Amino acid sequence: MGIVKRNSITITILSYLGIVVGYVNKILLFPNFLSEEQVGLANILVSMAVMYAQFSAMGINSTIVKFFPFFRTPDRRHNGFFFWTALGVSLGFVLFTTLFLIFREPVTEYYAQKSPLLSKYYLLLIPLGFTTLFFNFFTAWLQALYKTVVSSFVYEVALRLLVTAEISLYALGAIDFEQFIVGYVLIYFVPTLVLLVYTLWTRRIDLRPVWTGRTRRLLSVAAVYGLWQYLGGTSMYIVPVIDQSMLAGMRGLAQQAVYSTMAYMVAAMLTPYRSMIKVATPVVTNLWKERDMAGMQRIHRDVSLMNLIVGCFFFLAIWINLDNIFSLMPASYSAGRYVFLFLGLGRIFEMYAGLTGVILITSKRYRYDFTFSVLLVGMTVASNAALIPSLGMNGAAIATMSTVIVYNLIRIGFVWKFFRIQPFAATDCWIVLLTGAMVGLSALIPYLGNFILDAAVRTLVISLLFGATVYYTNASPQLNATLDGLLARIGIRLP
């Protein structure tokens, strides 16, 4: 747990620094200087690029993290693993781009009526998908090498500062919207180039191919695993795009803009979870290699409980300040209140599931995840198709919440059945009850007349009550130890 805790804290700090910058972009600048349709376009291009990159990767990024310990060699050539994986994602990009162009006409026709801007800038997905693909590729390699901080910094902080600079240029009239959207895509190449240089600078990889009997055997096993990850793991990247894509096609980019903005706010809650997953994945891989099931249960439980507490806290912090946040945006964005509620509840449960997904896909039973993923995609498409026409963006949010909860319950049950590992404890229920009580208490605090003062007082009161209750009941010893360690560095010791 030591390396997971240490690196995840650093990554979480960077991520929240990035979220502060991101909130300036998404809450202040984008809604106030771009139309809803333009905001929707910028957001959905990034979301679709993630899906583009995942299809192109063909499961190779997951393969890198799982199989690197087996390819690793003292001479750092690692049986040519870097060369073969780089070749694989390159071929995957060419293949998917070919299909992308073949199906260009029916896709653009689907969006032409409700989201004409997306049809107009459809081809920008090719360069954006390319840079996203290779950013993920280099991130996977650095993750396998236990070097996760730089990739978090360039994506979470540096990229968002560049976006701030560009939207500021647009707001000042220095560039028009077409120049803005092209520049917006080009900005995403900066983190990828930084990671390319940093990966080479580590001198931990070798660009030359290696082809031996051992390499051939390892690659054949890794390829099978990668295929199953491609078939199954892709759904985890597709599902967050399905709701936004279907909403844009059925209701237009204006509703998609509000929906995606709320989804970004929810992403703040997921930051600690993603940090821990990023750092814990190679640790779980090694636990499987050592057959340390007791260690697996321990880290699974620790991560789950910490994520539940942190997820509830940040959900609470945002929910009690929604009116203050909406006061900074055009009035139409306040319609996203229940989008945030439903998406937030679904993501809290996803966080509470802990390392269930990581344990499953790094185990020998990883093939079953394909079945679960097909089920997830089917449920997501069906539920969105059923609810969006009548409920619009709220329907999309309900559909996403429902499918996320059901999907995680299925995987939790499977991992328990085969490995007798699960993240839950009955005593965790009081964390949820405490969160509900804090929501009720916040409602009793009258509005203080100024959104800055109101947000400061409301957040301080609720945070102190929630945090003190969790800390002094020792709900999570790991979380307490982490907090004590952080405070000790600045000379503070809690009584």
Side-chain angles (χ1 to χ4, degrees):
M1 188 68 183
I3 189 172
V4 175
K5 183 167 66 175
R6 184 172 61 255
N7 285 355
S8 63
I9 290 171
T10 303
I11 293 171
T12 300
I13 292 172
L14 289 174
S15 297
Y16 276 107
L17 178 60
I19 283 174
V20 171
V21 180
Y23 264 48
V24 171
N25 295 338
K26 298 288 187 178
I27 306 302
L28 292 178
L29 299 180
F30 272 49
N32 288 297
F33 293 104
L34 298 174
S35 69
E36 290 178 3
E37 289 77 11
Q38 291 172 336
V39 172
L41 173 67
N43 291 343
I44 201 169
L45 281 177
V46 174
S47 297
M48 286 185 166
V50 172
M51 182 171 65
Y52 195 116
Q54 183 64 16
F55 276 118
S56 301
M58 301 192 297
I60 289 174
N61 293 335
S62 298
T63 304
I64 292 169
V65 178
K66 178 174 175 60
F67 282 92
F68 178 71
F70 301 95
F71 280 85
R72 184 191 285 121
T73 57
D75 63 2
R76 298 187 176 184
R77 297 194 66 184
H78 309 308
N79 289 287
F81 197 35
F82 184 87
F83 172 84
W84 297 115
T85 51
L87 178 63
V89 296
S90 299
L91 292 175
F93 175 77
V94 172
L95 175 61
F96 185 74
T97 300
T98 302
L99 295 174
F100 180 81
L101 293 173
I102 290 174
F103 290 100
R104 174 186 178 184
E105 186 173 341
V107 172
T108 52
E109 286 181 359
Y110 173 74
Y111 289 108
Q113 182 176 359
K114 295 290 186 178
S115 303
L117 272 180
L118 181 55
S119 296
K120 178 180 179 180
Y121 292 103
Y122 178 79
L123 291 180
L124 286 180
L125 282 169
I126 296 177
L128 191 55
F130 174 84
T131 189
T132 304
L133 168 66
F134 279 95
F135 176 85
N136 293 340
F137 173 74
F138 292 123
T139 297
W141 263 98
L142 292 170
Q143 184 179 357
L145 297 170
Y146 293 94
K147 294 183 177 296
T148 54
V149 174
V150 172
S151 59
S152 295
F153 172 76
V154 296
Y155 189 81
E156 302 290 350
V157 180
L159 174 65
R160 288 169 180 170
L161 287 173
L162 289 172
V163 172
T164 303
E166 195 196 11
I167 187 64
S168 299
L169 289 175
Y170 179 77
L172 294 171
I175 56 175
D176 59 26
F177 180 72
E178 184 166 341
Q179 292 170 324
F180 166 81
I181 203 66
V182 172
Y184 187 68
V185 171
L186 293 177
I187 281 173
Y188 276 80
F189 278 82
V190 175
T192 305
L193 292 173
V194 171
L195 288 197
L196 168 62
V197 173
Y198 179 67
T199 303
L200 296 175
W201 178 81
T202 64
R203 299 179 183 273
R204 299 279 297 276
I205 54 96
D206 195 294
L207 302 178
R208 293 171 293 177
V210 174
W211 188 251
T212 64
R214 175 175 171 77
T215 302
R216 185 168 57 253
R217 289 191 301 271
L218 287 171
L219 285 175
S220 63
V221 175
V224 172
Y225 176 82
L227 175 62
W228 283 100
Q229 286 302 297
Y230 181 64
L231 296 174
T234 300
S235 65
M236 296 304 299
Y237 294 87
I238 296 176
V239 168
V241 183
I242 289 175
D243 51 2
Q244 295 189 40
S245 300
M246 293 182 69
L247 186 61
M250 300 169 76
R251 286 299 188 96
L253 285 175
Q255 283 205 23
Q256 194 277 336
V258 177
Y259 185 93
S260 58
T261 301
M262 297 303 105
Y264 180 81
M265 292 168 61
V266 170
M269 297 162 40
L270 288 169
T271 298
Y273 169 72
R274 288 171 176 163
S275 300
M276 286 191 181
I277 292 297
K278 192 173 186 178
V279 179
T281 299
V283 176
V284 171
T285 299
N286 284 327
L287 288 172
W288 277 119
K289 186 178 179 181
E290 297 167 5
R291 302 182 185 278
D292 184 1
M293 301 309 292
M296 191 90 73
Q297 172 61 45
R298 190 162 51 249
I299 191 175
H300 190 25
R301 172 63 186 156
D302 287 344
V303 169
S304 173
L305 180 56
M306 289 178 69
N307 278 330
L308 175 64
I309 295 170
V310 175
C312 285
F313 172 75
F314 282 108
F315 173 83
L316 182 63
I318 298 172
W319 178 259
I320 64 176
N321 283 298
L322 273 182
D323 287 333
N324 291 317
I325 294 172
F326 288 142
S327 70
L328 303 174
M329 308 166 72
S332 58
Y333 282 81
S334 63
R337 178 182 304 274
Y338 292 105
V339 171
F340 175 83
L341 173 64
F342 297 130
L343 291 180
L345 293 177
R347 296 309 175 188
I348 287 175
F349 190 82
E350 181 181 357
M351 294 174 70
Y352 189 35
L355 298 175
T356 300
V358 174
I359 291 170
L360 177 58
I361 66 174
T362 56
S363 74
K364 292 182 178 180
R365 297 186 182 273
Y366 62 84
R367 290 179 177 86
Y368 285 91
D369 199 46
F370 169 64
T371 303
F372 303 150
S373 298
V374 171
L375 178 63
L376 174 63
V377 172
M379 288 190 301
T380 303
V381 172
S383 57
N384 275 279
L387 295 177
I388 289 176
S390 58
L391 298 176
M393 57 183 155
N394 288 331
I398 294 171
T400 297
M401 177 188 70
S402 303
T403 53
V404 165
I405 292 175
V406 171
Y407 174 68
N408 279 284
L409 282 173
I410 291 172
R411 297 209 299 180
I412 289 167
F414 182 87
V415 169
W416 168 250
K417 177 181 177 180
F418 285 99
F419 308 120
R420 286 297 183 261
I421 296 175
Q422 61 87 22
F424 301 151
T427 53
D428 297 343
C429 293
W430 81 269
I431 299 294
V432 178
L433 294 176
L434 175 64
T435 305
M438 293 298 102
V439 171
L441 180 61
S442 174
L444 299 177
I445 301 175
Y447 180 66
L448 300 179
N450 177 277
F451 79 91
I452 296 178
L453 178 62
D454 184 80
V457 172
R458 194 177 300 273
T459 303
L460 181 62
V461 170
I462 297 302
S463 297
L464 287 176
L465 288 173
F466 182 92
T469 303
V470 170
Y471 181 84
Y472 288 109
T473 57
N474 200 30
S476 171
Q478 285 290 342
L479 187 59
N480 278 20
T482 300
L483 181 60
D484 288 339
L486 289 173
L487 293 177
R489 293 182 182 180
I490 56 175
I492 298 177
R493 183 176 181 179
L494 294 177

